[in-house]
Structures are given as structure tokens and as C-alpha cells.
Amino acid sequence: AEYMGVTQLFQFSIESLVMAASSTAAAVSMPSLVATAMAQPPRFERVSVQGWTVTTAKGGMLNSKQAEEMSEAIGLPDLPEMVFGQNVIRFEHTESGFMFEFNARDALALVSKEVGDIKVAASEKWMETCNIAKAKDVVEPFDWTFSTPYRGTCAREASVTETAAIDTELLRRQDPILLFEEVVFFEDELADHGASTLVGKVRVMPTCFFALLRLTVRVDGVLNRVYDTRVFHRFGDAVVVREFQGREAMVADVQARLGPTATAIFFADTERLIPHLTRVVYAADAFALEGVGAPVS
């Protein structure tokens, strides 16, 4: 594999959490390589190492016709303002036939068609302070924050392995980087009252690969939410590890704890904000690679 002259390392934080047996309800069946034809071909980056091929694709955002087709196909009344339907981060293992990917269509397909719990409180507060037609139109039919619990698209159900964990020490090593890419899947400004984004980052080294898919939701003055999906594989192991964690907090609660330091700039800085959000969900599982020895503890 050709080495790329990339030295960036993206930030990641792994909590010292107990690995939990989790359902894979938020994963959808494979394959779903987005079928909508785009006007411009995407730009591909690819690296093959240790029997794996890791691919990223980055293209333009959907036009109005493509957005309408996707909206109808997934049953979502409205889509984010910018959806990058060609964009993909994909992992393929030759020996086992395993394939896993992140893409926008499958992520948006899991956006709730209902609004409940904390979303209701945020919606009501938002609508008290604005007269945006879009807010009034979409607040009832579906989750207008696009808070998808998407954890990736896989070829089969994950076999739960409680002993599998992300090797954080290996990730901290200053190994050569074979591939580093950041891929945006969707963005929406929530009618100028915040932001909702889904962005993936992938890093491939000679010893392993690591990916982070992050959903960031900010409803200004109301709510902050971060959903992180981390995927890790150490080459030679028989499993691919996945962790999912959701954190959120109402702005008023954070302001009550932090006082004057909780400014608008602070709430827009996701890395600074995350430690002050409450963990609301955590799940960990591992995909077993058929024919690749025994799982490593």
C-alpha cells in the first residue's frame, strides 16, 4: 500500500466504561451502496492492507430531485439542507467477505418519524421563540433535529463479544498513516436556530484502522446532543469492535453548573462541551470475522 503524506490525527475519546451486550437494532442490512445517480462522480480514496480494503467516497450534495427521491424512499418528510448521498466510508475484508460502511441514506432512514421525550421539550421551546414556517411544518411529523441512532451498515448481525475492546494504546502510537479522511454525510442549520451534522473520520495505520462517526445536534439555547460510533480493528484479530455512545444535556442545566463560562462559543465547541453532557446510552459489540482464527480478548 502506498503511504500518504498525511500527519493529521483526529481527536477521539474512549471512556473507561464497562463493555455491555447491546442490540444491533440501529444497524441496517447490507448492501446499501447508495443507488441514486449523481451529476458528478465522487472522488475515491482507497488503501489495501493486511487483507482489508478501506475506501472513502466524497461527492456533491443531492439536488432537489435526488433529495425528493431519497425522502420518498426512506419515508422521511424532509431531509437536511445538505445531504451528501454519494459519500461513503467502507471497510471490506477479502477472506471473510465482511463489509461495513457509513452512508447518509441509511443514517437518515433511522431518523424517528415521531417526536417524543426530550425532543418534545426542545421543539416546544424552539417554537416559542421563532416563527419559522419550517419549524411549524416539521415539528410534528418527525424528529426535526435529525438525531439518527445510526451505527453503520453491515453485512450481517453482529455477534456480541463482551471481552472485545478498542486498543487505545495502539491508537496513541505515532505510526505511519496510510489513509486519513473526513467525510460529511449531512448538515442542517435547523432554520438558523442551531445545527445538526453527521460527519465521519477514518484513520488507517499499518497495524489497525479506526473510524469515528459523530452526530452533533445543537438547538441554540435549548439542547446539545452528541452520538458517537467508534469502529476499530487490529489487523490479525478475528473481530471488528464497535462502540456507540450518546450524550446530551439541556442548555439550562449546563449553564446552571458552569455559570458565566457557558457561553454561546462554548456550546459550539463540541470537544469542550462533551465532558459536560450526560451519557444517555452506551452499547458495545463486535463483528466476528469468519475464518480468521479465534476472537482476541
Side-chain angles (χ1 to χ4, degrees), residues 5-291:
V6 182
T7 58
Q8 305 109 302
L9 293 176
F10 56 87
Q11 291 184 328
F12 65 94
S13 59
I14 306 293
E15 305 293 338
S16 299
L17 302 168
V18 177
M19 299 291 281
S22 68
S23 71
T24 56
V28 292
S29 61
M30 192 76 182
S32 68
L33 312 184
V34 182
T36 305
M38 308 295 168
Q40 298 294 329
R43 177 179 65 84
F44 291 94
E45 298 290 343
R46 182 177 289 111
V47 64
S48 295
V49 56
Q50 299 285 337
W52 285 87
T53 298
V54 181
T55 304
T56 63
K58 292 196 284 189
M61 60 183 177
L62 300 181
N63 60 35
S64 58
K65 182 177 184 297
Q66 294 161 348
E68 182 179 352
E69 291 173 352
M70 181 182 288
S71 178
E72 291 179 357
I74 64 178
L76 197 63
D78 198 11
L79 295 183
E81 294 161 335
M82 293 182 286
V83 178
F84 299 88
Q86 291 177 298
N87 291 7
V88 171
I89 298 176
R90 183 177 303 130
F91 305 90
E92 300 171 271
H93 186 245
T94 303
E95 182 177 352
S96 66
F98 174 80
M99 184 185 294
F100 181 91
E101 75 174 46
F102 295 124
N103 69 70
R105 183 187 185 281
D106 290 343
L108 289 168
L110 291 178
V111 171
S112 176
K113 310 306 187 292
E114 300 177 355
V115 182
D117 299 328
I118 197 168
K119 301 187 189 75
V120 169
S123 302
E124 291 173 349
K125 177 65 176 178
W126 187 33
M127 291 188 65
E128 287 175 4
T129 60
C130 73
N131 294 314
I132 305 297
K134 179 179 178 181
K136 299 181 185 301
D137 289 341
V138 306
V139 71
E140 292 301 330
F142 74 105
D143 176 10
W144 51 272
T145 68
F146 302 104
S147 295
T148 174
Y150 180 61
R151 307 177 194 182
T153 302
C154 56
R156 60 179 181 277
E157 292 296 314
S159 59
V160 177
T161 307
E162 296 184 14
T163 56
I166 294 176
D167 188 340
T168 57
E169 291 302 317
L170 183 59
L171 290 175
R172 291 190 182 101
R173 284 172 31 175
Q174 299 298 309
D175 291 339
I177 297 180
L178 309 182
L179 176 70
F180 175 87
E181 286 289 324
E182 177 174 322
V183 180
V184 179
F185 296 103
F186 67 72
E187 297 181 13
D188 191 277
E189 294 185 350
L190 304 181
D192 294 327
H193 284 281
S196 178
T197 62
L198 185 67
V199 180
K201 296 183 181 181
V202 61
R203 179 158 52 106
V204 183
M205 288 75 70
T207 55
C208 63
F209 63 71
F210 176 75
L212 169 65
L213 180 72
R214 171 166 288 175
L215 171 83
T216 305
V217 174
R218 187 188 78 252
V219 182
D220 291 335
V222 181
L223 168 73
N224 285 86
R225 172 181 291 134
V226 176
Y227 289 167
D228 282 343
T229 299
R230 292 177 170 86
V231 176
F232 170 81
H233 175 69
R234 182 172 51 211
F235 296 132
D237 285 2
V239 295
V240 176
V241 181
R242 177 174 61 177
E243 292 185 353
F244 176 79
Q245 181 170 244
R247 290 179 175 270
E248 63 185 37
M250 303 302 288
V251 168
D253 294 337
V254 177
Q255 289 174 329
R257 293 196 302 269
L258 299 183
T261 61
T263 63
I265 295 175
F266 169 80
F267 282 107
D269 187 337
T270 303
E271 292 299 333
R272 288 180 60 198
L273 178 62
I274 283 177
H276 303 283
L277 302 180
T278 301
R279 192 182 79 184
V280 294
V281 61
Y282 175 79
D285 55 17
F287 300 93
L289 302 176
E290 296 179 1

